[in-house]
Amino acid sequence: MNFNEESKLTRIFLTLLFLGGAVGFWQTVKIISGPEPQRAMSPGEVRETLEKMEAQDRKAWENMWREAGKTPPVAPQVN
């Protein structure tokens, strides 16, 4: 079977079939290789990240009240 001697429709079908197989093979390789490793955060990094998030939340809390034209109440302390 010579690829150049086939009809245009048959060549398109065979090309799509080949590409589908290649994509399927690539997906299978990705699944078998497993997920990418993730780095765990140290306790200091976790604390620092939480402090930054709390500061952003407090700022957003105050801005929300100020945009409403009111004095912001004291935000509850996060333990």
Side-chain angles (χ1 to χ4, degrees), residues 10-12 14 18 21 29 36 44 48 53 56-59 62-63 69 73 75 79:
T10 303
R11 286 189 297 193
I12 291 172
L14 291 174
F18 172 76
V29 168
E36 295 181 14
E48 182 179 317
M53 291 171 61
Q56 289 175 347
D57 288 346
R58 188 158 309 213
K59 192 177 209 179
E62 292 172 359
N63 286 341
N79 295 331

Side-chain angles (χ1 to χ4, degrees), residues 11-28:
R11 286 189 297 193
I12 291 172
F13 175 75
L14 291 174
T15 303
L16 290 175
L17 188 64
F18 172 76
L19 290 175
V23 169
F25 176 75
W26 177 250
Q27 292 296 321
T28 303

